[in-house]
Amino acid sequence: MSMNNSPNVFLDPNANRFQVNIINESHNSNEASQEDVESDPPHYEETSFTEEAHNRLRISYRPGKRELYDNFLQNGEKPEASLHPCDTHNKMYYLQTFGHNTMDPVPKIDYYRNTGSVSGNKLNRPSLLEIHEQLAKNIAVSTGSVERVANGESTAGEETAASKEEEKKTGFVKFGWVKGVLVRCMLNIWGVMLFIRLSWIVGQAGIGLGVIIILLATMVTSITGLSTSAIATNGFVRGGGAYYLISRSLGPEFGGSIGLIFAFANAVAVAMYVVGFAETVVELLKESDTIMVDESNDIRIIGTITVVCLLGISVAGMEWEAKAQVILLIVLLIAIANFFIGTVIPTNNEKKARGFFNYQASIFAENFGPDFRSGEGFFSVFAIFFPAATGILAGANISGDLKDPQGAIPKGTMLAILITTVAYIGVAVCAASCVVRDATGNVNDTVIPGMSCNGSSACNLGYDFSRCRSQPCDYGLMNNFQVMSMVSGFGPLITAGIFSATLSSALASLVSAPKVFQALCKDNVYKGLHFFAKGYGKNNEPIRGYVLTFVIAMAFILIAQLNTIAPIISNFFLASYALINFSCFHASYAKSPGWRPAFRYYNMWISLFGALLCCGVMFVINWWAALITYVIELFLYIYVTYKKPEVNWGSSTQALCYIKALDSALALTTVEDHVKNFRPQCIVLTGAPMIRPALLDITHSFTKNNGLCICCEVYTGPRKLCVKEMNSGMAKKQAWLTKNKRKAFYAAVAADSFRDGVKSLLQASGLGRMKPNTLVIGFKKDWRNAAVTQVENYVGVIHDAFDFELGTIIVRIGQGFDISQVLQVQEELEKLEQERLALEATIKENEFDEEKSGICGFFRKARKLNITKHEAKNESTINTVQSMHVGEFNQKLLEASTQFKKKQGKGTIDIWWLFDDGGLTILIPYILTIRKKWKNCKLRIFTGGKVNRIEEEKLVMASLLSKFRIKFADINIICDINMKPNKESWKFFEEMIEPYRLRESCKDITTAEKLKRETPWKITDAELEAFKEKSYRQVRLNELLQEHSRAANLIVLSLPVARKGVVSDYLYMAWLEILSKNLPPILMVRGNHKNVLTFYS
C-alpha cells in the first residue's frame, strides 16, 4: 500500500506504484522551488505528509521521465556531500521509495547486468553497509547531483541508454529471428546435396530407408537444436555462437578447444562450398567448350574470384550480407518450387527414356525398398547425406548481431530444421515416385510386344531398360546426379539453385568463422591470438578475422585435397554438436540454481543421448577423421587447462565440482576417523598470508596434498572498519595463495581481541571431518616489549588450543616471520619507479611533439625545462628514499622469509621427542622427509633416559620406530636433562624474567597484596620456587640443543605445557624463549595426546 496520498497521484492513471520522489529541505523553499522549476519541466506537486511538509517540494516523475530519477536513485555512487537530515543551514535532498526517506531502491534490471564481467554498463545498488549504517550519511546527496538529474544530464546509470541512443545514430544493425536465424539456417542446411545427391541417396536406400536416413540426421540436429535453445535462453547471449554457448556452460577448457576448431571448420567450409560452386561453373564451361586453362586451374581461378567477391560482401557489413542471403534464399526457394512443379508437368519421350514418368504408383512401390550397389550400405549412404543436415548453428554463430538472441535462436533454429526436413523428405519421395532407378536415355528402348516385364515398372510403362542390369547406364536415380534438373520445369533454375545453395553456405561460413574467432580472441583464452579480437565500424566487424578466413579458404582452394579434408570438417561440426548437447545435460545434472532456461522443451537425458549419438555418427561418417578430431580437441583442452585463463563464467563444471565436493564432505561425516588416516589439518595464524610467508611455507610443507591448511587472520579494533577491511581483502588474499601455488584457504574474523578471534576460528573453522586438528602459530618474538594484554592473549590462545584438544605447533626462526616493513618499502619503491617511468614517457612524448611542430617547439622550451627540473627532483627523491631505506631493507629478513621455499641440502632434522603426545612430534618431521625439498635430510632422534640403561633405551626406541615404519639415521639417549644448567645460562634466565617478577617476599604483606591486585600478571616468588625444577629443565634443554643440534636444518622439540591458572603467562613465555633461543629453525610440537600413529595394518 502506497503512502503517497497526493490526490494527483490517485487521479493519474499512469502513476507507478513504485513511486520515487526527491525531497528538498531548505529555509527558502519557494526560492528552491523556483530554481527547480526553471531547471526541469516535469510534473510538480506539493505534498502534505505532515504540517511541516507544506514547505517541502516534491518532484514526482511520471513514466515519461522515469529514467531520470531511476538512474539518479540507483546509480550507487557515493554522495558528494554528507549532511544531516535535519540540517537547517544547507539545501538537503532525500530519496523516497514508497513515501519513505531511504536509499533502498526498487528492483531494476540494470543492477543485474554483466555480473562478473569487465565489460558493459552496470549500475551498483547501495551496499548493505550503506543502508545499514547511519541514514544521514548515506541518503544525503548534493544539490549538484539533483540539479544534474533535473537538467537531464547523464549519470552513471544512463550509460546504457546513451549507448542505445548511439547505436540508433550510427545505424547499428540488429537482426530479428527471420532474417538473422531462420534464413541463415535454411540456407546453410540446404546445400548442394539437395540438388545433386539426394536422388542418388533415395535410389540406393529406397523411399523407406531414405526417409529414415533423413529423420535420423534430423534427430541429431533437432536434439542439438533443443539443447542450443535451452542454453541460449539461460541468460543473455553475446557474440560467438557455439563457442559462447559451450564456453559459458562447460568453461574455457571445452569452449576454447571447440571454439578454435569450430572457427577453423567454418573457414575451410568456405573453401568446400566455393569449390562446389566452381566445379558447377566449370561443368557449364565444358559443355559450351569455353574452358580457360584446364579444369583444375579453372576451378582455382573461379574459386579465387568468388571468395574475393564474398569477402567484399562480408566486409561491406552485416546488412549487405543479410540482403544477399535473402536474395539467395528467394532463388533457392524458386528452384525447389521449380522441381515440384516439374513433377506434375506431363513428361515427354526424351524424359521417359531417361526414366522420368511423372507420379506412378508402380514406381513408388518399386523404389520403396533399398537396392544398395557398389559396396554401399545404410551407414555409408547416411554418412554421405548427413553433411546436408548440418548448418543449424548458422544463426547462433552471429548471436551478437541479433536483437533478441534468447527468442530468435530457439524459434529460428527449430523452424528451419522443420522446414528443411519437410523439404528433404518431399524432394526424396517425389523424385523416387517419378523416376526409375536405371534408364538408358535411348528413346528407342521401348517394350516389344509379347515381352515379359518381370515386375519392372518401366516395362509396364512401355520402356525396356533391362540392359542396365548387364552394363552401366547413364540415367535414372542411381546413375544421374542431375535428376532434379531433368525433372524440373525449367532446368537452368536448378543450376541457379545450386549456385544459390553453394554461395549462401559459403557466405554464412565466411561470416560465422570470423565472428566465432573474434569472440574466442576477446576472451583471451589463447593470448597469442588477441590481435584478432579488435573490431571495426558500427557493427564491430572482425576485419582481421575476415582476412584470416580468406587466407585459409584460399589455401585450401589452391592446394588442399578437399575430398580428404571434408570428413574432418563434418566431424568438427559434429564435435560442436556433441558438446552443445553435453553442455545442456551437464548444466541440468549440476542442478545449479542459475540454470533456469526459459525454453522448457528439453530433457537432460535426451541431451545426453544426443551427445552420444553425435559421437557415434562421427565414427559412422569416418572413423579416422573422428579420431583426429578427438586428438586435436584433447590437445587444445590440455593446453587451455595448463594455461589456466583468468576467466570466471560460472560454468556448470564449477557447479558440478561444488556438488561433488559437498557430497564427498557429507560422505566423510558418515565414516569414523581412523588413526591410519590421520593427517595434520592445520589452522595457521599467519595474518595476511603474504606478511608471514615462512610460517605458511613450513606448514605447507607437511600439509600440501596431504591435509587441510587454513591461513587465518584476526581483525581487532572498531567493528565497522574491521569488517569493511576484512570483506575487501578476502578475495585478494585467497588469490595470492592461488597465484603462489599454496594449497591453502584463507579465513578471517573480526573480534574484540586477538584471543576471542582465534577462539572463534578454532571452534568454527572447517567442514564436517575436514576440521583443523592442529594449531600452528609463530613465536611471539617481541613479547618482552609488548603490552600485557598482547602476551595474555598469545598465551591464552595456546591454552584455548589445548582446551579444544588441538595439537599445537609453535614455530621460531632467528629473523622472525613478519616482513610487512619490507613489503611496504618495496611498494613505495615500485610506486616511485612507476612515477619515474611515466615522467620519462611524458618527456619523450613532448620531445616528439616538438620535433613535429618545428618552430613551435621554441615556445615550449620553458615547459620542457620545468619538466626536466621536476624529473631531476623526482630522481633525487628516489635516490634519497633508496639510500634512506638501505638499512631498513633487511636482506637477511627477506632471505629468512624464503628459506622454506628452497630445497634443503643434506643435513638432519633433529627430533627431541621428550614426551609422548600421541606421535605428532614424530609424524610431522616424517612427513617433511617424504617431500621433495626435505628428502635429503635424515631424522635423528633424541630422547631422555637413564645413564645405566642407554643401550636398552636405544633398542626400545628403535623397535618403536621400526614398528611405525619410520626410518631414522641415529638415536641419542640424553641422560643429563635433569642436571642444573650452568650459572651463566641461569643468570641470563633470571635477568630475562626480572622485569616481570613481583618480589613480594621483599615487601610487607599489605604492599605485596596491593601489588598482586594491581599487577596480577607478574611472576610471584612462590610460583618461581614451585616451578624452579621445570625452569632449570628448560634452560638445560637449551644448552643440550646448542650442544647437539646447532648444525641441524630443523629442530622438532616437545612443547612444554603450562598448567592453566598456575603458571603465569610471562613465566611460560620465558620458558619458550630460553628453550628456543639462538637455534636453527625450531618447531615446538605438542599433540593432543591421542594416537596419530599405529603399527597395526
Side-chain angles (χ1 to χ4, degrees):
M1 176 178 162
S2 174
M3 292 186 67
N4 190 338
N5 56 3
S6 170
N8 291 338
V9 172
F10 289 113
L11 291 172
D12 186 356
N14 295 320
N16 195 304
R17 64 182 289 265
F18 297 106
Q19 189 67 38
V20 182
N21 306 297
I22 301 177
I23 302 281
N24 174 300
E25 282 187 0
S26 175
H27 270 309
N28 192 349
S29 60
N30 292 330
E31 203 173 40
S33 303
Q34 189 63 31
E35 288 176 8
D36 288 335
V37 168
E38 289 175 2
S39 61
D40 187 43
H43 302 280
Y44 288 84
E45 297 173 3
E46 294 197 3
T47 61
S48 55
F49 288 112
T50 63
E51 290 181 4
E52 295 177 5
H54 286 294
N55 294 325
R56 297 183 183 180
L57 174 68
R58 187 186 70 197
I59 304 173
S60 178
Y61 296 106
R62 296 296 174 231
K65 293 288 182 181
R66 185 177 178 98
E67 295 85 0
L68 294 177
Y69 67 77
D70 272 355
N71 290 324
F72 167 71
L73 173 66
Q74 301 173 351
N75 61 14
E77 293 178 357
K78 292 185 177 179
E80 295 175 13
S82 184
L83 305 172
H84 195 274
C86 298
D87 189 347
T88 57
H89 301 286
N90 297 284
K91 291 178 74 177
M92 188 64 216
Y93 294 87
Y94 295 111
L95 302 179
Q96 282 210 348
T97 305
F98 313 126
H100 290 283
N101 293 344
T102 179
M103 270 195 83
D104 233 351
V106 295
K108 188 176 181 182
I109 188 65
D110 291 332
Y111 292 135
Y112 299 90
R113 290 189 188 281
N114 302 318
T115 304
S117 174
V118 295
S119 61
N121 299 310
K122 181 185 188 302
L123 297 188
N124 295 315
R125 69 176 64 80
S127 68
L128 187 59
L129 186 66
E130 289 171 340
I131 293 174
H132 190 222
E133 292 298 327
Q134 295 179 21
L135 186 64
K137 293 183 180 179
N138 294 292
I139 64 165
V141 292
S142 68
T143 305
S145 298
V146 178
E147 285 175 352
R148 283 201 305 276
V149 175
N151 291 327
E153 293 179 17
S154 177
T155 62
E158 293 173 323
E159 289 177 7
T160 306
S163 64
K164 288 179 180 175
E165 188 64 30
E166 186 64 23
E167 287 176 10
K168 290 178 183 176
K169 288 180 182 177
T170 55
F172 191 80
V173 180
K174 291 285 187 180
F175 301 114
W177 70 274
V178 175
K179 192 185 283 188
V181 182
L182 180 65
V183 170
R184 290 173 186 280
C185 287
M186 286 170 64
L187 282 170
N188 230 24
I189 295 170
W190 279 331
V192 185
M193 203 69 69
L194 174 67
F195 295 101
I196 61 175
R197 284 290 186 276
L198 192 57
S199 57
W200 177 86
I201 287 166
V202 77
Q204 289 275 359
I207 294 173
L209 288 182
V211 170
I212 290 174
I213 284 172
I214 295 169
L215 292 177
L216 183 59
T218 303
M219 181 191 294
V220 175
T221 56
S222 297
I223 294 173
T224 306
L226 293 173
S227 300
T228 303
S229 301
I231 299 171
T233 57
N234 189 53
F236 184 74
V237 178
R238 295 190 178 279
Y243 160 71
Y244 185 89
L245 298 177
I246 294 169
S247 63
R248 267 49 175 187
S249 293
L250 292 178
E253 296 84 6
F254 279 108
S257 58
I258 204 66
L260 200 59
I261 64 174
F262 186 70
F264 178 76
N266 273 289
V268 179
V270 175
M272 288 177 58
Y273 295 129
V274 167
V275 167
F277 169 78
E279 284 179 351
T280 308
V281 174
V282 169
E283 286 295 323
L284 293 174
L285 293 176
K286 195 196 298 184
E287 288 177 12
S288 59
D289 197 24
T290 54
I291 293 290
M292 292 178 283
V293 183
D294 55 57
E295 287 188 28
S296 298
N297 284 316
D298 281 10
I299 289 172
R300 292 189 178 101
I301 293 167
I302 294 166
T304 302
I305 296 169
T306 306
V307 171
V308 171
C309 294
L310 293 176
L311 180 66
I313 294 171
S314 302
V315 172
M318 289 295 292
E319 195 170 6
W320 283 97
E321 187 267 348
K323 289 176 181 176
Q325 293 279 30
V326 171
I327 294 169
L328 291 171
L329 179 64
I330 292 169
V331 172
L332 195 56
L333 290 172
I334 291 171
I336 294 172
N338 176 48
F339 166 76
F340 286 114
I341 292 168
T343 59
V344 295
I345 295 174
T347 184
N348 54 38
N349 290 335
E350 185 181 353
K351 287 185 177 182
K352 284 181 179 179
R354 294 182 179 185
F356 174 51
F357 296 93
N358 293 115
Y359 291 105
Q360 301 291 337
S362 59
I363 295 177
F364 178 88
E366 184 179 74
N367 290 340
F368 190 83
D371 184 16
F372 294 112
R373 301 178 190 175
S374 305
E376 298 292 349
F378 178 83
F379 287 110
S380 64
V381 172
F382 174 79
I384 291 168
F385 172 76
F386 184 79
T390 61
I392 60 169
L393 296 180
N397 287 339
I398 62 158
S399 53
D401 296 302
L402 301 175
K403 288 177 186 174
D404 177 23
Q406 287 182 293
I409 291 173
K411 200 186 301 181
T413 304
M414 298 311 296
L415 189 57
I417 292 171
L418 177 63
I419 293 171
T420 52
T421 302
V422 170
Y424 275 131
I425 292 175
V427 169
V429 172
C430 289
S433 301
C434 298
V435 183
V436 295
R437 282 193 167 102
D438 297 294
T440 60
N442 189 344
V443 293
N444 296 319
D445 287 339
T446 55
V447 175
I448 301 169
M451 180 179 174
S452 176
C453 290
N454 295 324
S456 170
S457 57
C459 181
N460 291 331
L461 294 170
Y463 280 83
D464 177 18
F465 299 141
S466 57
R467 64 187 176 94
C468 291
R469 296 173 189 171
S470 57
Q471 63 184 55
C473 294
D474 295 330
Y475 297 96
L477 294 175
M478 302 290 280
N479 310 304
N480 183 14
F481 291 152
Q482 302 299 325
V483 165
M484 284 191 72
S485 295
M486 178 188 71
V487 172
S488 65
F490 183 61
L493 277 178
I494 298 298
T495 304
I498 294 172
F499 288 173
S500 175
T502 51
L503 292 178
S504 62
S505 297
L507 193 55
S509 298
L510 186 59
V511 170
S512 296
K515 292 281 184 183
V516 173
F517 193 58
Q518 184 186 34
L520 177 68
C521 297
K522 274 185 178 178
D523 288 335
N524 212 16
V525 175
Y526 302 99
K527 295 187 184 297
L529 301 177
H530 193 65
F531 171 79
F532 295 97
K534 184 175 175 59
Y536 296 87
K538 59 187 179 183
N539 259 41
N540 196 33
E541 295 291 348
I543 302 297
R544 295 173 179 177
Y546 282 131
V547 173
L548 180 64
T549 305
F550 171 77
V551 170
I552 294 171
M554 282 300 302
F556 280 94
I557 287 170
L558 296 174
I559 62 172
Q561 294 292 324
L562 292 183
N563 289 338
T564 304
I565 205 75
I568 299 177
I569 302 308
S570 295
N571 276 316
F572 280 178
F573 286 124
L574 275 168
S576 304
Y577 297 170
L579 277 181
I580 287 174
N581 285 310
F582 184 72
S583 298
C584 183
F585 162 76
H586 201 269
S588 303
Y589 184 73
K591 298 174 184 174
S592 172
W595 174 249
R596 302 183 301 275
F599 185 82
R600 297 294 180 187
Y601 305 103
Y602 75 96
N603 180 277
M604 60 183 285
W605 300 111
I606 291 177
S607 294
L608 179 62
F609 172 72
L612 297 174
L613 194 60
C614 288
C615 294
V617 170
M618 288 173 70
F619 281 96
V620 167
I621 289 176
N622 193 303
W623 66 267
W624 58 262
L627 288 177
I628 290 173
T629 304
Y630 285 131
V631 168
I632 293 172
E633 190 175 331
L634 181 64
F635 170 77
L636 292 173
Y637 179 88
I638 293 169
Y639 174 82
V640 177
T641 305
Y642 175 75
K643 288 295 182 181
K644 291 181 181 175
E646 295 177 3
V647 293
N648 182 12
W649 295 323
S651 65
S652 59
T653 308
Q654 293 172 342
L656 195 61
C657 187
Y658 174 84
I659 293 294
K660 286 180 179 177
L662 188 61
D663 289 342
S664 298
L666 288 169
L668 275 176
T669 60
T670 63
V671 181
E672 289 295 325
D673 288 331
H674 194 281
V675 64
K676 285 197 294 184
N677 293 324
F678 176 87
R679 58 196 67 230
Q681 304 199 112
C682 299
I683 189 165
V684 196
L685 300 183
T686 56
M690 63 283 291
I691 299 298
R692 295 177 179 83
L695 183 60
L696 173 59
D697 290 338
I698 188 63
T699 310
H700 193 250
S701 297
F702 55 81
T703 61
K704 181 184 178 184
N705 299 329
N706 189 57
L708 181 69
C709 181
I710 307 176
C711 298
C712 295
E713 185 171 10
V714 178
Y715 288 87
T716 57
R719 188 172 185 81
K720 179 181 174 182
L721 295 175
C722 287
V723 171
K724 187 176 180 181
E725 186 181 354
M726 179 179 72
N727 290 340
S728 63
M730 293 283 276
K732 178 184 174 185
K733 287 161 186 174
Q734 184 63 57
W736 185 90
L737 290 169
T738 305
K739 183 181 177 183
N740 288 273
K741 298 180 181 177
R742 297 290 175 264
K743 295 187 177 180
F745 299 96
Y746 172 78
V749 291
D752 296 330
S753 69
F754 175 71
R755 184 178 182 181
D756 288 343
V758 176
K759 198 182 290 184
S760 300
L761 289 165
L762 291 175
Q763 294 177 87
S765 295
L767 185 69
R769 297 287 180 196
M770 293 187 293
K771 285 182 70 70
N773 54 30
T774 307
L775 170 69
V776 181
I777 187 171
F779 179 72
K780 189 168 180 61
K781 195 178 178 184
D782 64 343
W783 66 275
R784 283 185 277 185
N785 301 320
V788 175
T789 53
Q790 290 184 2
V791 176
E792 288 176 346
N793 281 332
Y794 181 83
V795 178
V797 163
I798 298 170
H799 286 309
D800 292 337
F802 291 145
D803 286 343
F804 297 133
E805 295 190 338
L806 266 72
T808 303
I809 302 174
I810 300 176
V811 188
R812 183 175 185 179
I813 59 175
Q815 300 296 325
F817 292 108
D818 193 340
I819 62 167
S820 55
Q821 289 184 350
V822 174
L823 295 176
Q824 190 176 351
V825 171
Q826 285 180 337
E827 190 177 344
E828 288 176 7
L829 292 174
E830 283 174 7
K831 284 181 181 177
L832 290 170
E833 180 65 16
Q834 286 174 1
E835 288 177 9
R836 187 182 67 80
L837 293 172
L839 193 62
E840 285 181 357
T842 305
I843 292 169
K844 285 179 181 177
E845 187 180 337
N846 288 328
E847 288 175 351
F848 179 72
D849 288 344
E850 285 176 14
E851 289 173 6
K852 285 177 69 179
S853 60
I855 196 166
C856 295
F858 174 79
F859 298 101
R860 295 177 186 164
K861 275 189 176 180
R863 186 174 64 176
K864 181 182 174 182
L865 287 171
N866 287 336
I867 291 169
T868 309
K869 286 177 184 177
H870 184 61
E871 179 195 22
K873 182 180 177 182
N874 271 272
E875 284 182 349
S876 64
T877 306
I878 292 168
N879 292 331
T880 306
V881 171
Q882 286 175 337
S883 59
M884 184 174 64
H885 288 298
V886 163
E888 296 176 21
F889 195 87
N890 194 329
Q891 191 62 31
K892 287 185 179 179
L893 179 59
L894 202 60
E895 288 175 3
S897 70
T898 60
Q899 62 180 309
F900 298 123
K901 288 182 182 176
K902 301 171 186 173
K903 188 173 183 180
Q904 306 295 315
K906 287 186 178 180
T908 63
I909 298 176
D910 288 359
I911 306 168
W912 290 70
W913 195 12
L914 305 177
F915 310 106
D916 194 330
D917 59 351
L920 187 65
T921 307
I922 201 81
L923 180 63
I924 295 293
Y926 166 74
I927 294 173
L928 285 175
T929 57
I930 61 176
R931 301 298 188 192
K932 195 174 181 180
K933 291 174 184 174
W934 292 87
K935 67 179 182 180
N936 292 327
C937 294
K938 307 294 183 184
L939 297 183
R940 292 199 305 172
I941 314 299
F942 294 83
T943 188
K946 295 179 181 178
V947 179
N948 56 353
R949 286 179 53 84
I950 292 177
E951 292 304 320
E952 289 89 339
E953 298 281 359
K954 276 189 178 182
L955 288 172
V956 169
M957 180 56 70
S959 173
L960 180 62
L961 293 174
S962 64
K963 285 183 177 179
F964 289 147
R965 301 164 313 278
I966 293 175
K967 293 181 181 179
F968 57 89
D970 192 16
I971 296 176
N972 294 278
I973 307 298
I974 307 300
C975 305
D976 51 354
I977 291 177
N978 292 323
M979 284 179 61
K980 282 188 178 181
N982 63 49
K983 291 181 180 179
E984 290 80 7
S985 300
W986 182 250
K987 184 180 179 183
F988 176 83
F989 179 76
E990 287 186 319
E991 288 174 354
M992 181 172 60
I993 63 173
E994 183 60 35
Y996 315 108
R997 291 186 63 179
L998 190 64
R999 293 281 186 188
E1000 78 277 11
S1001 58
C1002 302
K1003 299 176 179 65
D1004 59 79
I1005 296 174
T1006 307
T1007 307
E1009 290 297 326
K1010 183 182 177 184
L1011 286 171
K1012 280 184 182 179
R1013 287 194 301 273
E1014 291 175 353
T1015 55
W1017 48 271
K1018 284 199 171 183
I1019 305 168
T1020 64
D1021 293 341
E1023 178 192 358
L1024 195 60
E1025 185 63 31
F1027 294 102
K1028 194 168 187 177
E1029 291 298 322
K1030 201 163 186 178
S1031 299
Y1032 278 156
R1033 188 187 305 144
Q1034 313 312 324
V1035 179
R1036 177 60 184 158
L1037 273 172
N1038 182 261
E1039 292 176 352
L1040 293 169
L1041 287 163
Q1042 298 281 355
E1043 180 184 343
H1044 295 283
S1045 299
R1046 190 67 186 266
N1049 293 48
L1050 182 70
I1051 299 172
V1052 181
L1053 171 70
S1054 292
L1055 173 70
V1057 178
R1059 291 192 179 275
K1060 236 184 351 177
V1062 180
V1063 178
S1064 64
D1065 297 337
Y1066 276 91
L1067 180 59
Y1068 186 59
M1069 289 304 298
W1071 288 352
L1072 298 181
E1073 173 73 36
I1074 196 67
L1075 191 61
S1076 57
K1077 188 174 179 60
N1078 297 330
L1079 289 169
I1082 182 169
L1083 273 61
M1084 293 176 276
V1085 181
R1086 174 67 68 157
N1088 63 359
H1089 286 245
K1090 293 179 180 177
N1091 289 347
V1092 300
L1093 296 172
T1094 181
F1095 52 84
Y1096 294 108
S1097 60

